[in-house]
Amino acid sequence: MNNILSLSYNDLSPNLKTCLLYLCIYPEDYVIERDILVRRWISEGFISEERGQSKQEVAENHFYELINRSMVQPVEVGYDGKARACQVHDMMLELIISKSVEDNFISLIGHSQNDLANCHGLIRRLSIQHIDQELASVLANEDLTHVRSLTVIASTCTKHLPGLVGFEALRVLEFKDCESLHEYDMNGIDKLFQLKYLSFRGTKLSKLPRGVVRLYGLETFDLRNTYIEELPTGINQLVKLQHLLTAYFSSGNTKIPDGIGNLRNLQVISGFNITNSSLCAVGELGNLTSLKDLHLQLEGRGCQEYKRHEEMLLSSLCKLGICKLQSFWIFSPDSTPIEFLDSWSPLPYNLQMFRMTTSYFLPKRPKWIVPALSSLAYLNINLIKATQGDLRVLGELPALLYLNITFSTVQKERLSVQGVVFPCLKEFDLISYSASAVYLTFEEGAMPKLKKLELPLFVSVAEAHGFYLGLGHLPCLRDAQEDLPKAGLLQVPLYGRRQIAIPIIPGYLSTTERRKDIITPTMRRTTLTRKRV
């Protein structure tokens, strides 16, 4: 098997070999996120622009090429069919570790053995998966001045690491899930003049080392899942920053730093809290003309004191919408109204994803969500009521691949997906909030490429319409289900190996004959079963 895998490895281009070998910095069975890996490859200098493609595009192509060649396994495949992460099979990992050690590409500490003993020459890249005093003393005797990347994952003994002063050539520095990092002396971090990638993700730090504001070459700064609520004064001097990632939304209290408008190279911002930030900082977001992804938290429950924040955010969005903004995700831990977004103008023509995660429901579809948004592929929206007109307009969005509509009121009238609409849609979730009823049917020609469907079926409502759903008009459907607590599921087999799980509310459907009525003429008739969720 090792010989077979070696043949596949030898068939790779030099660039792909380098990118593959790099994966052995991660432990066995580790889920490697695409975005993190791509940014690290770029920071290491592995990626160059090719044929008019940016470094980001070239790096992502390398990632998917490794998946297509079955060198790594795809994980978390999204609505667009692309993997968001990957894993390396155990046997492949052992192969690339042996190749890496043989070529002195990466040195490992805390793997099955201390691979520093097999190191020939200078240490180029160092991955520490476990360290204690004994291993630290071995490391302290090594020449660390040529180490280009240092990766420490889930180590509880980071205080034993040699000081950062000795790692003068670092381009990439990542501490991942190291909860004892506060015990490590990070004095001298400002001397890492070549550092491009810095991650404290999952370390639960509450205070940053003062020297980070002098890392003038930094391109990625990852502070997700930490307790950092305020970035140090001077962070706006890091004018090469492209990715600024802060706390997860569940506890996102980090303020937008004043002067953020100076960071004109920023492409991705995530986790900042709008209502905790100054009005000036919120307004400066509109100056970030290179921004592609913007993920923000908004809370305040509609208090009058935050109206100016909402107005300033809207003003910034209106400016960003005519630039490069592709993704906007707004999160609220409560029911803070976001109706102000209805006034987003002019149309954000480059927008590919709009997502709202909140318990607030818009009274109507925002005016700017119209068929002219030719790039919109992902739409997640909460509406008090889903209407026939909404389905008609959304069905004309030419690039829409994923649609999630969550509604909050009981809707007595039947909704129908009519005509040749939703030409590209692959996944459709119609979610009932607080067990609110709705009845939806599909007519011929609608959603011709739909593969996944999440649809509530309230039998008391469906009975009034003869249990007709029109699922036979969805030729590509592979999976349909709804997860309702204490509800039954109708298992509806389709042609081939497809199967649908339709929810039923207990006590409403009692006979097998009635259940059979749900099957459309194009479905293969079999005995249906009822299961508990």
Side-chain angles (χ1 to χ4, degrees), residues 9 15 28 85 135 155 157 179 189 202 210 238 251 289 291 294 304 368 465 470:
Y9 171 80
N15 285 348
E28 186 175 321
L135 289 174
S155 176
C157 300
E179 297 185 4
I189 193 172
R210 288 178 296 178
L238 307 185
S251 59
T289 55
L291 200 62
L294 180 60
Q304 193 64 34
W368 55 269
H465 297 283

Coordinates of all heavy atoms in Angstrom, one line a residue, residues 9 15 28 85 135 155 157 179 189 202 210 238 251 289 291 294 304 368 465 470:
Y9 N 1.9 10.0 -5.0 CA 2.7 11.2 -4.5 C 3.7 11.6 -5.6 O 3.8 12.8 -5.9 CB 3.4 10.8 -3.2 CG 4.4 11.9 -2.8 CD1 4.0 13.0 -2.1 CD2 5.8 11.7 -3.0 CE1 4.9 14.0 -1.7 CE2 6.7 12.7 -2.6 CZ 6.2 13.8 -2.0 OH 7.1 14.8 -1.6
N15 N 4.7 21.9 -6.8 CA 3.9 22.8 -5.9 C 2.9 22.0 -5.1 O 2.8 22.2 -3.9 CB 3.2 23.8 -6.7 CG 4.1 24.9 -7.3 OD1 5.2 25.0 -6.8 ND2 3.5 25.7 -8.2
E28 N -2.9 13.3 13.8 CA -3.7 12.3 13.2 C -5.2 12.6 13.4 O -5.6 13.0 14.5 CB -3.4 10.9 13.8 CG -4.0 9.8 13.1 CD -3.5 8.4 13.7 OE1 -2.3 8.4 14.0 OE2 -4.4 7.5 13.9
A85 N -13.2 21.8 4.5 CA -12.1 21.2 5.3 C -11.7 19.9 4.7 O -12.3 19.4 3.7 CB -12.5 21.1 6.7
L135 N 11.6 17.3 26.5 CA 11.6 17.7 25.1 C 12.0 19.2 24.9 O 12.7 19.5 23.9 CB 10.3 17.5 24.5 CG 9.8 16.0 24.3 CD1 8.4 15.9 23.8 CD2 10.8 15.3 23.3
S155 N -1.4 22.0 23.3 CA -0.4 21.7 24.3 C -0.7 22.3 25.6 O -1.1 23.5 25.7 CB 1.0 22.1 23.8 OG 2.0 21.8 24.8
C157 N 1.6 22.5 28.1 CA 2.9 22.9 28.7 C 3.6 23.9 27.9 O 4.9 23.8 27.6 CB 3.7 21.6 28.9 SG 3.0 20.4 29.9
E179 N -4.5 26.2 26.2 CA -5.2 27.0 27.3 C -4.2 27.6 28.3 O -4.6 28.4 29.1 CB -6.2 26.1 27.9 CG -7.3 25.7 27.0 CD -8.4 24.9 27.7 OE1 -8.3 24.8 29.0 OE2 -9.4 24.4 27.0
I189 N 8.0 39.3 20.7 CA 7.2 39.0 19.5 C 7.3 40.1 18.5 O 7.2 39.9 17.3 CB 5.7 38.8 19.9 CG1 4.9 38.2 18.7 CG2 5.1 40.1 20.4 CD1 3.5 37.7 19.1
G202 N -8.6 29.8 20.2 CA -8.9 28.8 21.2 C -8.0 28.8 22.4 O -8.0 27.9 23.2
R210 N 2.0 43.3 24.0 CA 2.0 44.7 23.4 C 2.7 44.8 22.1 O 2.4 45.7 21.3 CB 2.7 45.6 24.4 CG 1.9 45.9 25.7 CD 2.7 46.8 26.7 NE 3.9 46.1 27.2 CZ 4.7 46.6 28.0 NH1 4.6 47.9 28.4 NH2 5.8 45.9 28.4
L238 N -1.1 48.3 11.2 CA -0.8 47.0 10.5 C -1.5 47.0 9.1 O -2.5 46.3 8.8 CB -1.2 45.8 11.3 CG -0.7 45.8 12.7 CD1 -1.1 44.5 13.4 CD2 0.8 46.0 12.8
S251 N -20.0 34.7 22.0 CA -19.5 35.6 23.1 C -18.8 36.7 22.4 O -17.7 37.2 22.9 CB -18.6 34.8 24.0 OG -17.5 34.2 23.3
T289 N -12.5 49.3 1.0 CA -12.9 49.0 -0.3 C -12.5 47.6 -0.8 O -13.1 47.2 -1.9 CB -12.4 50.1 -1.3 OG1 -11.0 50.2 -1.2 CG2 -13.0 51.4 -1.0
L291 N -12.8 44.9 1.1 CA -13.5 43.9 1.9 C -14.4 43.0 1.1 O -15.2 43.5 0.3 CB -14.3 44.7 3.0 CG -14.7 43.9 4.2 CD1 -13.5 43.4 5.0 CD2 -15.6 44.7 5.1
L294 N -17.8 40.1 5.5 CA -18.1 40.9 6.7 C -19.1 40.1 7.6 O -20.2 39.9 7.2 CB -18.6 42.2 6.3 CG -19.0 43.2 7.5 CD1 -17.7 43.5 8.3 CD2 -19.6 44.5 6.9
Q304 N -33.2 53.0 21.6 CA -33.0 54.2 20.9 C -31.5 54.6 20.9 O -31.0 55.2 19.9 CB -33.8 55.3 21.5 CG -34.0 56.6 20.6 CD -34.7 56.3 19.3 OE1 -35.6 55.5 19.3 NE2 -34.3 57.0 18.3
W368 N -34.1 45.1 -1.5 CA -32.9 44.9 -2.3 C -32.7 43.5 -2.8 O -31.8 43.2 -3.6 CB -31.6 45.4 -1.6 CG -31.4 44.8 -0.2 CD1 -31.9 45.3 0.9 CD2 -30.7 43.6 0.0 NE1 -31.5 44.5 2.0 CE2 -30.7 43.4 1.4 CE3 -30.0 42.7 -0.7 CZ2 -30.1 42.4 2.1 CZ3 -29.4 41.6 -0.1 CH2 -29.4 41.5 1.3
H465 N -55.8 19.7 2.1 CA -55.4 19.8 0.7 C -55.2 18.5 0.1 O -54.5 18.4 -1.0 CB -54.1 20.7 0.6 CG -54.3 22.1 1.1 ND1 -54.9 23.1 0.4 CD2 -54.0 22.7 2.3 CE1 -54.9 24.2 1.1 NE2 -54.4 24.0 2.3
G470 N -46.5 17.2 -4.4 CA -45.9 17.3 -5.7 C -44.4 17.0 -5.7 O -43.6 17.5 -6.5

